[in-house]
């Protein structure tokens, strides 16, 4: 007996070891495939599993160490990219992963500490700025006190088909299907309306009906709305108004006010120039639109730094040569014996005049040999920082006084009075930049060079000025240089002085005459190089259009859905997700939430009546109509059993047979989620075979469970006969056996009375694929 037990133990241990060895080899093989694909994280996972199953295998250990090293290097490179891109949190995660994979990598630990230090410093700086006005404005965007939005119990598409039916009954039907309470204004007129839509949501149907019938919606809370006639009087009565103050940081308050008035047509608007703020009172829709516009245009304007280089080059050449007389005239005068000049003589003295009494002045001779050359340049290299649309001016030069003489009448005399005005002499540059979104800059340039041609004289003659002006517009790339040259001014002067006749003789005339020549040349070279230092922070949200309704009615919609409070979209555009909806409802989605009640007891009250009248019927149903015996309806699966290959998709039809007076069919269908996966569930033709409008609700999100609800609307008579209730598309995921089991399953009449039924379960076998 003991020997048998020992043998069994040995056999069991051998089998375990054999299975472990096979599993380790499979994990190692998968790791090798991941290594060849350079998926190092996956390779580390497979090699770790292989080594855990076979700890003594040195090859497994060696490949694991190699994979860890390579995986750590990949995460280090990825972390460095995140760090260079400023994504510090992601960089920290990557370096932490690298340190975990390769604890011996000291570089990874050092970089991790450095990035963590920088991240903490950035957080501290951000925390110090969180109370700034920009931060507060950011937090207040899209917020409105007591703002609410619709939260239907389900967003499953709806199918409706009503012909000439009371519109109030159609609204009530929507209320039952969506879980949204619908109230009506007392003046709302009931009319017949036809609608035939499918695969639309509650919000879309509500939008269609209100627009087509001149109604508008006032949202009371998350699950209650009111339908109101769309008239100016009712709008004023029901539409709520809000007041919001917009503090502008960059835009001009008057310009923003003009834009808002022209685009939104909001009249209740005031400004506070001291705080640069606009106060708007209007409907939430218009206030929200104003907020979007203000956010889009209140941007810091672009700024440009322009490198200006001014080069002034001057050259002067002077040449003087030849023979010059001190005076080109001879004077003769009389002198007396004492050598004094005599102004006149008596006639009796004329006979006493001799050669010694005459004094003749002879000019002196100067021999001129002179030449001079002068060169000069002036360089100015200022940097001008300009805001887009604003003009910046640069002046380089002097101010020259200009005398202006006026005369005032005094006592028996006229008194001159001299006043002085000043004029800028030199270079004046004016620039006005415009920054384009492709990082190009347009510069409107005005260049003026003012010089003195002739100075003022003592007689009160004002100076003469000369101007050279260039006005142009140039478009440059960021960092591109533009050259402006050719503002050249040349002056030449020549003179020759000599004795008449002598100066006309060739060659001798040049020698025995005074020759003066002078040439002056001045040139200005201007270079401009713009550098963009700031661009407007235009975001994708600023470029995205938003709905504003029609010309007659200002309303904000998104994709045709009504999400409005008082006819306006709340400031929070984010729709509640599935998790938030479930939290609001307090439970997971179920057919009860979808407008269909599953009740285990006989005679439970239903949610909808087949006539389209959605009022509740409080009477009980016994499962028969007028005492008539109702046969048992049989619900089966087609195929009820079968074999599928792993990875294949297949359909299962849910059939009903021997059915009479069927109005509602709710049920759960469960399966093994390890073997199967539900891909989709679609409505069959049985409930709507006679043209009756139906609603079909399905939920396949739960693991291993499908929730289905079918209901007929618009008629008191139910469906009869046989047909397909629904079709489910499955995917075989893993080998195994899965049962298909019905639960919470009922067949009910149009008044929600329970009918006799028999739900037959099925099964599916999944085999490994080839």
């Amino acid at each position: 007996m003991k020997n048998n037990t020992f043998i069994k133990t040995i056999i069991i241990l051998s089998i375990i070891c054999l299975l472990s060895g096979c599993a380790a080899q499979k994990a190692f093989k998968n790791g090798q495939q991941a290594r060849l694909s350079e998926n190092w994280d996956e390779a580390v996972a497979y090699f770790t599993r292989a080594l855990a199953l076979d700890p003594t295998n040195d090859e497994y250990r060696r490949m694991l160490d190699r994979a860890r090293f390579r995986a750590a290097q990949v995460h280090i490179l990825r972390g460095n990219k995140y760090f260079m891109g400023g994504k510090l949190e992601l960089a920290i995660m990557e370096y932490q992963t690298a340190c975990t994979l390769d604890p011996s990598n000291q570089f990874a630990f050092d970089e991790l500490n450095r990035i963590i230090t920088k991240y903490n410093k950035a957080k501290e700086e951000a925390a110090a700025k969180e109370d700034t006005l920009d931060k507060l404005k950011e937090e207040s965007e899209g917020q409105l006190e007591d703002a609410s939005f619709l939260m239907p119990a389900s967003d499953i598409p709806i199918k409706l088909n009503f012909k000439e039916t009371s519109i109030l009954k159609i609204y009530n039907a929507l209320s039952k299907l969506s879980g949204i309470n619908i109230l009506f204004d007392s003046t709302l007129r009931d009319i017949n309306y036809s609608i035939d839509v499918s695969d639309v949501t509650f919000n879309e149907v509500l939008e269609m009906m209100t627009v087509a019938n001149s109604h508008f919606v006032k949202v009371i809370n998350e699950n209650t709305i009111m339908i109101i006639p769309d008239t100016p009087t009712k709008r004023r009565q029901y539409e709520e108004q809000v007041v919001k103050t917009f503090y502008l940081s960059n835009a001009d308050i008057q310009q923003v006010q003009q834009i808002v008035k022209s685009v939104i047509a909001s009249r209740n608007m005031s400004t506070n120039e001291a705080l640069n703020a606009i106060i708007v009172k209007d409907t939430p829709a218009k206030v929200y639109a104003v907020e979007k516009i203000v956010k889009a245009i209140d941007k810091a304007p672009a700024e440009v730094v322009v490198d200006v280089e001014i080069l002034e080059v001057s050259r002067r050449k002077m040449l003087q040569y030849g023979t010059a007389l001190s005076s080109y005239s001879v004077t003769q005068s009389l002198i007396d014996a004492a050598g004094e000049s005599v102004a006149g003589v008596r006639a009796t003295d004329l006979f006493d005049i001799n050669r010694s009494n005459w004094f003749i002045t002879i000019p002196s001779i100067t021999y001129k040999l002179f030449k001079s050359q002068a060169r000069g340049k002036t360089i100015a290299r200022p940097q001008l920082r300009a805001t887009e649309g604003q003009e910046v001016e640069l002046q380089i030069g002097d101010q020259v006084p200009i005398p202006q003489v006026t005369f005032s009448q005094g006592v028996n005399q006229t008194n001159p009075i001299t006043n002085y005005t000043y004029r800028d002499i030199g270079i004046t540059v004016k620039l006005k930049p415009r920054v384009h979104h492709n990082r190009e800059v347009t510069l409107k340039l005005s260049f003026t060079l003012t010089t003195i041609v002739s100075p003022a004289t003592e007689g009160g003659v004002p100076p003469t000025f000369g101007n050279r002006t260039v006005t142009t517009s140039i478009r440059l790339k960021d960092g591109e240089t533009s050259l402006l040259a050719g503002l050249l001014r040349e002056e030449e002067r020549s003179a020759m002085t000599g004795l008449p006749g002598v100066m006309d003789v060739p060659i001798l005339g040049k020698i025995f005459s005074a020759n003066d020549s002078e040439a002056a040349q001045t040139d200005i070279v201007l270079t401009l190089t713009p550098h963009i230092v700031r661009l407007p922070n235009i975001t994708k949200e600023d470029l995205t259009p938003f709905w504003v309704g029609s010309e007659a009615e200002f309303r904000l919609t998104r994709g045709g859905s009504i999400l409005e409070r008082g006819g306006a979209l709340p400031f929070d555009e984010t729709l509640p997700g599935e998790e938030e909806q479930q939290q609001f409802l307090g439970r997971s989605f179920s057919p009860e939430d979808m407008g269909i009640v599953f009740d285990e007891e006989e005679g439970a009250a239903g949610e909808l009546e087949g006539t389209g009248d959605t009022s509740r019927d409080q009477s009980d149903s016994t499962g028969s109509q007028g005492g008539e015996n109702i046969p048992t309806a049989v619900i089966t699966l087609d195929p009820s059993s079968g074999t599928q290959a792993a990875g294949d998709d297949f359909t299962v039809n849910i059939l009903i047979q021997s059915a009479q007076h069927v109005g509602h069919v709710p049920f759960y269908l469960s399966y093994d989620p390890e073997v199967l996966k539900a891909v989709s569930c679609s409505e069959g033709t049985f409930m709507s075979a006679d043209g009756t409008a139906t609603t079909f609700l399905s939920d396949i999100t739960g693991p291993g469970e499908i929730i289905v609800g079918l209901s007929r609307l618009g008629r008191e008579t139910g469906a009869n006969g046989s047909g397909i209730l629904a079709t489910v598309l499955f995917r075989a995921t893993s080998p195994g056996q899965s049962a298909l089991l019905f639960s919470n399953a009922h067949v009910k009449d149009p008044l929600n009375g329970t009918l006799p039924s028999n739900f037959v379960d099925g099964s599916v076998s999944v085999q490994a694929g080839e």
Side-chain angles (χ1 to χ4, degrees):
M1 188 68 177
K2 292 182 179 180
N3 292 334
N4 293 336
T5 303
F6 177 77
I7 293 172
K8 290 181 180 179
T9 303
I10 294 297
I11 293 174
I12 292 173
L13 291 175
S14 300
I15 293 174
I16 292 175
C17 292
L18 181 61
L19 293 176
S20 298
C22 294
Q25 291 179 1
K26 183 177 180 181
F28 180 77
K29 183 179 179 181
N30 292 335
Q32 289 284 48
Q33 293 177 353
R35 181 181 67 84
L36 294 175
S37 302
E38 295 187 354
N39 190 347
W40 298 108
D41 288 343
E42 187 175 343
V44 169
Y46 281 120
F47 289 145
T48 301
R49 182 179 179 185
L51 186 61
L53 295 173
D54 189 2
T56 61
N57 195 310
D58 293 335
E59 185 179 6
Y60 293 175
R61 188 179 305 277
R62 185 175 65 257
M63 295 304 296
L64 175 60
D65 293 339
R66 185 178 301 174
R68 281 182 172 176
F69 175 80
R70 295 298 299 272
Q73 293 298 318
V74 171
H75 285 284
I76 288 174
L77 292 175
R78 195 178 300 162
N80 186 51
K81 289 182 180 179
Y82 285 136
F83 176 76
M84 297 300 293
K87 301 177 181 179
L88 300 183
E89 292 182 353
L90 296 176
I92 290 173
M93 293 174 60
E94 294 295 336
Y95 274 103
Q96 286 176 340
T97 304
C99 293
T100 302
L101 291 169
D102 188 6
S104 63
N105 194 322
Q106 187 61 37
F107 171 81
F109 281 95
D110 294 340
E111 286 297 301
L112 176 61
N113 293 330
R114 184 170 70 91
I115 296 173
I116 290 176
T117 301
K118 186 171 182 178
Y119 174 72
N120 292 333
K121 184 178 179 180
K123 285 184 63 178
E124 292 174 0
E125 292 176 354
K129 298 179 181 179
E130 63 182 1
D131 291 333
T132 62
L133 179 59
D134 288 340
K135 181 69 176 179
L136 296 175
K137 288 168 65 176
E138 219 175 275
E139 294 176 351
S140 65
E141 286 177 4
Q143 293 185 1
L144 178 64
E145 292 185 1
D146 196 29
S148 56
F149 41 79
L150 293 181
M151 293 180 62
S154 173
D155 58 356
I156 295 175
I158 295 174
K159 177 181 179 181
L160 291 179
N161 183 4
F162 288 94
K163 295 182 180 179
E164 294 299 325
T165 305
S166 166
I167 193 169
L168 298 183
K169 292 184 179 181
I170 301 177
Y171 278 134
N172 284 328
L174 288 176
S175 174
K176 301 303 179 183
L177 291 173
S178 63
I180 300 296
N181 300 318
I182 300 181
L183 308 177
F184 303 100
D185 181 78
S186 59
T187 61
L188 187 70
R189 187 168 60 92
D190 189 12
I191 60 174
N192 289 334
Y193 182 67
S194 299
I195 184 171
D196 184 5
V197 294
S198 60
D199 293 331
V200 292
T201 64
F202 166 77
N203 291 323
E204 292 171 340
V205 174
L206 191 59
E207 174 81 6
M208 298 175 191
M209 294 182 61
T210 53
V211 171
N213 294 280
S214 298
H215 299 161
F216 77 94
V217 177
K218 176 181 175 64
V219 179
I220 307 300
N221 53 40
E222 291 85 352
N223 60 356
T224 305
I225 62 174
M226 177 177 285
I227 308 297
I228 306 163
D230 193 357
T231 62
T233 302
K234 290 298 180 179
R235 286 278 182 179
R236 289 192 296 269
Q237 178 182 351
Y238 284 101
E239 277 190 335
E240 299 180 5
Q241 293 191 340
V242 295
V243 176
K244 186 165 183 178
T245 302
F246 299 94
Y247 295 92
L248 306 179
S249 297
N250 306 287
D252 178 71
I253 186 173
Q254 300 298 334
Q255 186 179 17
V256 172
Q257 183 183 23
Q258 182 179 359
I259 292 174
V260 170
K261 283 186 177 181
S262 61
V263 176
I264 305 301
S266 179
R267 298 181 179 179
N268 301 322
M269 183 183 307
S270 299
T271 60
N272 186 329
E273 294 187 359
L275 295 177
N276 203 37
I278 294 179
I279 301 95
V280 180
K281 174 190 174 185
D282 219 313
T283 62
K286 289 191 175 182
V287 173
Y288 173 77
V290 172
E291 181 183 41
K292 299 274 286 185
I293 293 174
V294 170
K295 183 180 179 182
I297 63 178
D298 189 23
K299 306 285 187 182
E303 290 190 34
V304 178
V305 171
V306 182
D307 293 335
V308 181
E309 184 173 2
I310 302 173
L311 177 64
E312 180 180 357
V313 180
S314 62
R315 184 178 60 181
R316 183 177 296 272
K317 186 183 295 185
M318 183 181 295
L319 178 62
Q320 295 178 349
Y321 66 93
T323 303
L325 300 178
S326 60
S327 173
Y328 285 92
S329 63
V330 177
T331 61
Q332 181 179 355
S333 60
L334 285 173
I335 59 175
D336 57 15
E340 299 293 334
S341 176
V342 178
V345 293
R346 295 182 183 92
T348 58
D349 296 331
L350 292 175
F351 296 101
D352 296 329
I353 296 175
N354 52 34
R355 289 181 299 177
S356 62
N357 295 115
W358 292 102
F359 182 81
I360 300 174
T361 303
I362 299 175
S364 61
I365 300 174
T366 302
Y367 299 99
K368 302 177 66 174
L369 292 172
F370 175 78
K371 181 179 182 180
S372 70
Q373 289 184 343
R375 294 177 181 270
K377 64 179 180 179
T378 302
I379 299 179
R381 294 180 178 177
Q383 283 188 330
L384 306 180
R385 181 160 182 163
T387 303
E388 181 174 14
Q390 301 296 323
E391 186 177 76
V392 60
E393 182 175 344
L394 169 66
Q395 288 186 347
I396 300 175
D398 304 313
Q399 285 189 328
V400 176
I402 302 174
Q404 293 180 345
V405 181
T406 59
F407 298 91
S408 63
Q409 187 67 38
V411 179
N412 298 325
Q413 63 179 357
T414 302
N415 300 319
I417 300 176
T418 302
N419 296 318
Y420 292 91
T421 59
Y422 291 86
R423 179 167 177 175
D424 293 324
I425 302 299
I427 296 174
T428 302
V429 179
K430 295 181 180 180
L431 295 173
K432 181 185 288 187
R434 180 190 173 191
V435 181
H436 303 278
H437 299 305
N438 60 347
R439 299 193 67 84
E440 292 185 355
V441 181
T442 294
L443 296 175
K444 290 186 176 180
L445 170 66
S446 175
F447 177 87
T448 303
L449 175 63
T450 305
T451 58
I452 300 178
V453 177
S454 62
T457 63
E458 294 182 357
V461 178
T464 304
F465 300 95
N467 281 341
R468 280 176 281 176
T469 302
V470 176
T471 301
T472 184
S473 179
I474 54 178
R475 182 161 178 164
L476 304 172
K477 295 181 180 179
D478 186 12
E480 182 181 0
T481 300
S482 174
L483 176 66
L484 177 64
L487 298 174
L488 186 65
R489 178 173 180 174
E490 293 183 341
E491 297 179 2
E492 291 186 4
R493 184 178 63 85
S494 62
M496 190 172 76
T497 306
L499 296 175
V502 177
M503 62 182 295
D504 296 329
V505 177
I507 301 176
L508 293 177
K510 292 286 186 180
I511 297 175
F512 294 102
S513 300
N515 298 272
D516 293 336
S517 65
E518 183 178 355
Q521 186 181 71
T522 303
D523 193 10
I524 301 294
V525 178
L526 174 68
T527 64
L528 301 172
T529 306
H531 302 281
I532 300 174
V533 295
R534 177 188 294 166
L535 287 172
N537 184 25
I538 299 176
T539 63
K540 183 178 179 181
E541 182 182 358
D542 299 328
L543 301 175
T544 304
F546 59 95
W547 300 87
V548 293
S550 62
E551 188 73 21
E553 178 186 358
F554 192 100
R555 61 190 301 167
L556 294 176
T557 61
R558 187 173 72 176
S561 321
I562 294 181
L563 298 169
E564 301 176 324
R565 175 176 175 81
L569 181 68
F571 291 165
D572 186 2
E573 285 190 291
T574 306
L575 293 176
E578 181 179 354
E579 181 178 353
E580 289 80 0
Q581 293 184 28
Q582 293 177 1
Q583 291 175 357
F584 172 75
L585 295 172
R587 59 185 184 277
S588 300
F589 285 160
S590 66
E592 287 83 353
D593 300 323
M594 299 176 186
I596 300 176
V597 176
F598 293 116
D599 198 333
E600 297 293 340
E601 300 179 0
E602 296 286 336
E607 283 289 322
L608 298 174
E609 291 187 0
T611 60
D613 185 354
T614 56
S615 59
R616 292 180 181 270
D617 190 339
Q618 302 297 333
S619 62
D620 294 337
S621 174
T622 61
S624 62
Q625 299 296 320
E628 179 184 356
N629 293 326
I630 303 298
T632 300
V634 179
I635 293 85
T636 59
L637 301 174
D638 181 26
S640 59
S641 62
T643 301
Q644 303 293 335
D648 290 347
D649 293 346
F650 64 96
T651 58
V652 175
N653 293 321
I654 302 172
L655 308 178
I656 186 170
Q657 299 175 353
S658 304
Q660 288 190 12
H661 208 58
V662 177
H664 311 282
V665 182
F667 60 86
Y668 287 67
L669 182 64
S670 58
Y671 57 91
D672 187 352
E674 298 293 331
V675 179
L676 301 177
K677 177 183 178 181
V679 178
S680 64
C681 183
S682 58
E683 183 182 6
T685 58
F686 173 75
M687 297 292 280
S688 59
D690 57 353
T692 301
T694 63
T695 60
F696 176 76
L697 306 174
S698 66
D699 184 4
I700 62 174
T701 59
E705 190 173 59
I706 303 172
I707 303 173
V708 179
L710 299 98
S711 296
R712 286 166 57 90
L713 298 175
R715 293 188 182 180
E716 294 183 357
T717 57
N720 301 316
S722 303
I724 300 175
L725 289 173
T727 300
V728 181
L729 177 62
F730 284 104
R731 179 170 297 155
T733 56
S734 302
Q737 186 78 18
S738 174
L740 301 177
L741 305 177
F742 287 102
S743 62
N744 291 329
H746 302 274
V747 177
K748 299 190 176 185
D749 61 22
L751 300 180
N752 213 43
T754 302
L755 299 174
S757 60
N758 180 22
F759 286 80
V760 181
D761 300 329
S763 64
V764 176
S765 177
V766 178
Q767 296 180 352
E770 296 182 358

